[in-house]
């Protein structure tokens, strides 16, 4: 892999204080002539002709922001939330879907252990994704429903759940999870009639909290197959529709099949039956032991076909690249010269911690899948791995917390306490993951025109989304053939981005002329977060011999640094005071923007490009934990993190 910095453009000093937020949020998909006239004032010189001489203002707008039929700001949300209605979470958690929805829209609630908790800022949307397998069953089990107590196994779990002994509860939960993965749960827990009844209650709750224009509450669930056992093949299902359609078809479970192609068939049946729309979001390929992005065969062992590739891209347009159980962009063995590759790596095994065998990791990470997708497109005619990138918490506490200083853990057994860093998070057959290994997860930003289910879902479908590991930094990424340095220095990178190019998630059509593609990329820090270190563009491509390659380019960065003779950018520095769990924004930059041109472009080679934005070092959640509880953690526990955002790629495909 190479590392270069080319065409890096710093932000002019006069530009920096002017809000880049205003600039990169000022975007356009299409415009009318009147709007173009009105918007001509955005360049810094208000045009009197933009105001008509009619009785008042005529059909033109004084405000440059009125009537914009395009995204004004990214909408932040979490597409992966579990509550006590999930079969596994329900063994400990007592936070239900109502409290989870209240929490997501900014209200203060209490955690399972009675701790007051609130987000720093409300989310704009959320998808409720409790497991479809035995949805709501554990709540009935905890209450001791009489007919369930006739089963000795269920009676034992009931006693454990009500014992108050966390170790006893955890042991019962682990046994239940393993039985669910093996398809060995008691028949009553697999009842389709029970599922339909709880599903209708569930959708009613979500429907109540959906407020179009203010807060979008999505109906959804997680389909949770663990073949192997323990090979994570999980998918979150996200409905564009409301309760009236969602209730018409009972959710799909792993009791029916663990094959993703069967899930896609169920999704097709749902749309045919109801006229609705639905998509699926896979996650945790890092725990699939080589199954998530297998480039050789389908789950059932058949050769990959064009039909398979088309179906996968129809139903799974985006992938959850980072969450509590690790980051899935790339692995250090796949990208050995990428200094930021080893981030929150979970590679000990699958979901049951069954160790990996040689050759598995290459089919588990997003960047390698993007590369393999180029190769498969040449063979099949369609790319099965042309997906966008989103993030989620995968919280099982009901609390969508992705901020390092407000992290409530994977499940309620590891909610904040002096001992959670060393508490067992996962344990199977003597193999364990400890609390400190949890990542604080992330959120998804969606470039949607309005805060409604329909608009957000449509943006996911067209992949105009990006993943963050927690901070709500604003990121724009456009590809085109004639972006110039002036485009980055104007006040309209978003506006010009749509005018001259395509946004993240799209295909860049071949140029009529000569020259290399250009990319306009801009980022603004989280308003209450850390400064930015740099923006990188990751390119992958396929050569004439069918070999794939990748390269990471530092394209713009903070401070007075130069690329060294070894091709690397010096570190930005580190202001983290671990003992105090603090940092300062005395290094880095609040915003970065540039235009970058691919220096090694070959028009005959298929390629993809995506942006990665890196923050300056900040305290990891473990540092906050040590400060709060006045505990000392061993050296193996990381106390500093490098938060980041990943945009969805832009693909280039030669005409031939």
């Amino acid at each position: 892999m190479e590392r270069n910095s080319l065409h890096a453009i710093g932000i002019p000093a006069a530009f920096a204080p002017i809000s880049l937020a205003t600039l990169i949020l000022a975007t356009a998909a299409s415009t009318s002539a009147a709007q173009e006239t009105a918007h001509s004032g955005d360049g810094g010189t208000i045009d009197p002709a933009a105001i008509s001489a009619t009785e008042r203002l005529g059909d033109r707008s004084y405000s440059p922001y009125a009537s914009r039929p395009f995204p004004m700001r990214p909408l932040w949300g979490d597409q992966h939330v579990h509550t006590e209605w999930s079969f596994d979470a329900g063994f400990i958690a007592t936070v239900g879907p109502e409290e989870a929805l209240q929490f997501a829209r900014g209200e203060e609630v209490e955690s399972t252990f009675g701790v007051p908790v609130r987000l720093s800022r409300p989310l704009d949307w959320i998808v409720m994704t409790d497991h479809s397998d035995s949805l709501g069953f554990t709540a009935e089990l905890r209450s001791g429903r009489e007919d369930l107590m006739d089963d000795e196994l269920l009676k034992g779990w009931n006693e454990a759940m009500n014992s108050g002994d966390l170790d006893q509860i955890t042991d019962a939960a682990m046994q239940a999870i393993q039985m669910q993965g093996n398809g060995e749960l008691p028949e009553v827990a697999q009842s389709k009639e029970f599922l339909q009844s709880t599903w209708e209650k569930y959708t009613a709750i979500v429907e109540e909290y959906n407020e179009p224009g203010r807060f979008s509450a999505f109906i959804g669930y997680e389909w949770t197959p663990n073949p192997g056992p323990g090979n994570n093949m999980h998918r979150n299902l996200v409905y564009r529709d409301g309760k009236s359609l969602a209730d018409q078809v009972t959710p799909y479970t792993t009791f029916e099949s663990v094959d993703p192609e069967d899930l896609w068939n169920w999704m097709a049946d749902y749309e045919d039956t109801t006229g609705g729309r639905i998509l699926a979001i896979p996650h945790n390929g890092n725990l699939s032991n080589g199954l998530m992005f297998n480039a050789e065969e389908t789950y059932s062992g058949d050769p990959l076909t064009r039909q398979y590739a088309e179906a996968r891209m129809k139903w799974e347009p985006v992938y959850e690249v980072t969450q509590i159980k690790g980051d899935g962009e790339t692995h250090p063995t796949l990208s050995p010269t990428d200094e930021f590759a080893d981030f929150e790596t979970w590679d000990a095994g699958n979901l049951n911690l069954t160790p990996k065998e040689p050759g598995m990791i290459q089919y588990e990470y997003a960047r390698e899948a993007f590369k393999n997708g180029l190769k498969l497109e040449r063979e099949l005619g369609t790319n099965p791995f042309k997906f966008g990138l989103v993030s989620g918490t995968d919280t099982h506490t009901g609390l969508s917390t992705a901020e390092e200083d407000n992290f409530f853990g994977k499940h309620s057994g590891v909610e904040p306490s002096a001992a959670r860093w060393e508490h067992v998070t996962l344990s199977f057959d003597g193999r364990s993951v400890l609390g400190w290994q949890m990542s604080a997860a992330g959120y998804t930003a969606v470039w949607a025109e309005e805060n409604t289910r329909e608009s957000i879902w449509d943006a996911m479908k067209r992949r105009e989304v990006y993943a963050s590991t927690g901070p709500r930094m604003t990121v724009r990424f456009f590809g085109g053939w004639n972006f110039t340095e002036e485009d980055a220095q104007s006040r309209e990178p978003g506006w010009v981005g749509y005018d001259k190019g395509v946004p993240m998630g799209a295909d860049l059509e071949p140029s009529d002329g000569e020259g290399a593609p250009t990319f306009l990329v801009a980022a603004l820090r989280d308003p209450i977060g850390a400064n930015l270190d740099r923006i990188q563009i990751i390119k992958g491509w396929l050569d004439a011999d069918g070999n794939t390659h990748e390269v990471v380019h530092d394209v713009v960065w903070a401070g007075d640094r130069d690329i060294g003779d070894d091709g690397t950018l010096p570190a930005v520095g580190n202001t983290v005071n671990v003992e105090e769990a603090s940092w300062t924004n005395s290094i880095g930059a609040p915003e970065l923007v540039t235009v970058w041109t691919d220096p090694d472009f070959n028009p005959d080679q298929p390629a993809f490009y995506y942006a990665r934005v890196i923050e300056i070092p900040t305290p990891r959640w473990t540092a906050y934990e040590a400060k709060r509880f006045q505990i000392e953690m061993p050296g193996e526990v990381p106390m500093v993190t490098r938060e980041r955002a990943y945009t969805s790629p832009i693909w280039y495909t030669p005409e031939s």
Side-chain angles (χ1 to χ4, degrees):
M1 183 167 61
E2 302 168 311
R3 178 178 294 277
N4 292 309
S5 173
L6 296 166
H7 297 247
I9 303 168
I11 300 175
F15 174 79
I18 302 170
S19 172
L20 179 61
T22 301
L23 312 183
I24 58 182
L25 301 179
T27 56
S30 61
T31 59
S32 68
Q35 288 163 342
E36 286 177 356
T37 303
H39 283 294
S40 66
D42 283 358
T45 54
I46 297 298
D47 181 2
I51 303 176
S52 72
T54 57
E55 184 175 348
R56 188 64 175 176
L57 297 181
D59 59 356
R60 293 178 178 176
S61 172
Y62 177 88
S63 170
Y65 310 108
S67 304
R68 282 187 173 178
F70 43 79
M72 298 287 285
R73 66 181 181 90
L75 298 177
W76 288 97
D78 186 356
Q79 49 75 40
H80 199 168
V81 176
H82 297 270
T83 72
E84 67 166 339
W85 283 44
S86 280
F87 180 72
D88 49 1
F91 274 80
I92 307 176
T94 59
V95 173
E98 284 210 69
E99 293 89 346
L101 288 156
Q102 293 163 3
F103 179 74
R105 69 182 187 183
E107 297 172 32
E108 184 170 304
V109 301
E110 287 190 353
S111 76
T112 289
F113 291 100
V115 179
V117 54
R118 187 172 191 170
L119 289 172
S120 65
R121 297 150 283 178
L123 293 175
D124 298 304
W125 56 271
I126 196 169
V127 186
M128 297 303 300
T129 55
D130 282 298
H131 300 294
S132 59
D133 286 8
S134 308
L135 177 70
F137 184 80
T138 40
E140 300 286 338
L141 187 60
R142 178 184 285 110
S143 71
R145 204 176 83 180
E146 190 172 346
D147 59 321
L148 301 182
M149 295 303 98
D150 293 338
D151 185 302
E152 287 301 316
L153 176 66
L154 298 179
K155 184 179 179 182
W157 288 349
N158 165 268
E159 292 171 353
M161 294 167 73
N162 292 299
S163 68
D165 183 331
L166 192 55
D167 289 335
Q168 192 175 341
I169 298 171
T170 301
D171 289 344
M174 289 300 163
Q175 181 189 22
I177 293 168
Q178 203 155 24
M179 291 183 68
Q180 182 271 336
N182 295 340
E184 298 172 346
L185 288 177
E187 187 174 338
V188 63
Q190 304 184 37
S191 165
K192 205 158 186 173
E193 291 72 25
F194 178 86
L195 173 58
Q196 180 64 28
S197 68
T198 54
W199 175 245
E200 293 178 10
K201 296 174 185 175
Y202 192 67
T203 57
I205 293 171
V206 178
E207 198 78 357
E208 181 183 344
Y209 283 85
N210 186 49
E211 300 177 78
R214 296 186 59 190
F215 178 77
S216 295
F218 283 85
I219 293 171
Y221 67 86
E222 179 179 320
W223 178 70
T224 319
N226 301 304
N231 295 329
N232 189 104
M233 296 285 283
H234 303 180
R235 267 81 171 164
N236 293 335
L237 280 292
V238 184
Y239 290 74
R240 191 176 186 270
D241 318 309
K243 177 178 174 59
S244 61
L245 298 186
D247 284 355
Q248 294 181 26
V249 181
T250 305
Y252 202 57
T253 70
T254 65
F255 307 139
E256 294 157 275
S257 174
V258 296
D259 188 334
E261 289 186 86
D262 291 333
L263 174 70
W264 303 339
N265 291 334
W266 176 89
M267 294 169 73
D269 287 342
Y270 168 81
E271 292 197 348
D272 290 344
T273 301
T274 66
R277 303 293 304 278
I278 192 169
L279 60 80
I281 304 176
H283 65 84
N284 282 116
N286 59 322
L287 302 177
S288 71
N289 274 6
L291 291 183
M292 183 60 74
F293 301 115
N294 192 325
E296 304 293 331
E297 60 184 21
T298 68
Y299 172 75
S300 59
D302 295 326
L304 299 185
T305 63
R306 181 167 186 152
Q307 183 181 24
Y308 170 90
E310 290 174 346
R312 180 157 186 153
M313 283 305 86
K314 176 178 180 180
W315 300 115
E316 301 181 353
V318 294
Y319 173 68
E320 181 185 287
V321 70
T322 190
Q323 61 126 275
I324 287 174
K325 298 194 298 296
D327 189 84
E329 183 212 6
T330 191
H331 189 275
T333 62
L334 300 172
S335 305
T337 60
D338 182 350
E339 65 179 297
F340 295 103
D342 191 7
F343 177 73
E344 299 292 350
T345 303
W346 274 44
D347 59 0
N350 65 5
L351 201 56
N352 285 9
L353 302 179
T354 302
K356 299 185 187 302
E357 297 176 0
M360 288 181 171
I361 283 180
Q362 63 177 320
Y363 299 137
E364 298 187 345
Y365 287 81
R367 189 188 299 175
E368 200 69 12
F370 291 146
K371 290 159 59 181
N372 287 330
L374 301 179
K375 187 186 298 185
L376 288 168
E377 185 170 26
R378 181 173 290 178
E379 298 171 8
L380 307 175
T382 300
N383 182 345
F385 302 137
K386 187 181 277 189
F387 51 82
L389 297 176
V390 297
S391 180
T393 62
D394 194 13
T395 175
H396 282 57
T397 65
L399 307 171
S400 178
T401 58
E403 294 167 303
E404 302 288 335
D405 63 352
N406 194 30
F407 177 52
F408 270 65
K410 164 68 176 174
H411 56 72
S412 294
V414 284
E415 287 189 10
S417 76
R420 73 158 163 170
W421 69 273
E422 58 183 347
H423 191 83
V424 173
T425 302
L426 294 175
S427 179
F428 294 93
D429 299 330
R431 302 181 294 272
S432 301
V433 171
L434 300 182
W436 65 264
Q437 294 175 283
M438 293 184 291
S439 166
Y443 292 131
T444 295
V446 177
W447 285 107
E449 289 83 358
E450 58 184 17
N451 191 346
T452 63
R453 285 171 173 166
E454 296 80 6
S455 186
I456 293 171
W457 192 96
D458 291 348
M460 289 186 184
K461 186 70 173 176
R462 66 175 183 266
R463 305 179 295 239
E464 198 171 350
V465 294
Y466 62 96
S468 164
T469 57
R472 302 189 197 183
M473 57 181 90
T474 302
V475 185
R476 280 295 199 187
F477 184 50
F478 298 95
W481 295 100
N482 56 354
F483 287 119
T484 65
E485 294 184 9
E486 287 71 25
D487 292 330
Q489 296 178 33
S490 77
R491 295 187 60 211
E492 303 179 342
W495 183 255
V496 74
Y498 281 105
D499 273 355
K500 297 173 65 174
V502 297
M504 60 180 77
D507 288 291
L508 180 61
E509 298 296 329
S511 171
D512 294 333
E514 297 181 353
T518 55
F519 296 88
L520 173 60
V521 60
L524 174 71
R525 81 172 194 207
D526 183 328
I528 62 170
N531 274 346
L532 308 177
D533 169 5
R534 68 187 75 185
I535 299 178
Q536 300 174 309
I537 291 181
I538 290 90
K539 175 188 177 184
W541 71 97
L542 180 69
D543 67 24
D545 296 326
N547 300 311
T548 60
H549 309 267
E550 66 177 55
V551 61
V552 179
H553 292 273
D554 293 308
V555 298
V556 60
W557 52 87
D560 186 18
R561 291 178 284 167
D562 295 316
I563 298 291
D565 294 337
D566 62 353
T568 62
L569 181 68
V572 68
N574 185 355
T575 68
V576 175
N577 182 330
V578 172
E579 188 175 342
E580 296 299 322
S582 65
W583 90 99
T584 69
N585 274 334
S586 55
I587 59 173
E591 54 196 40
L592 295 170
V593 59
T594 194
V595 166
W596 175 80
T597 302
D598 182 355
D600 302 309
F601 178 68
N602 183 332
D604 297 326
Q605 294 176 339
F608 64 83
Y609 305 83
Y610 66 92
R612 183 170 66 183
V613 185
I614 305 289
E615 274 192 355
I616 63 171
T618 50
R620 191 173 183 263
W621 71 268
T622 42
Y624 291 105
E625 201 88 337
K627 169 68 175 177
R628 283 184 170 120
F629 294 106
Q630 293 294 290
I631 54 179
E632 186 172 345
M633 297 189 185
E636 64 179 342
V637 179
M639 308 296 273
V640 176
T641 188
R642 301 301 301 274
E643 304 276 21
R644 59 198 62 195
Y646 308 115
T647 72
S648 295
I650 293 171
W651 287 267
Y652 166 79
T653 305
E655 285 184 335
S656 59

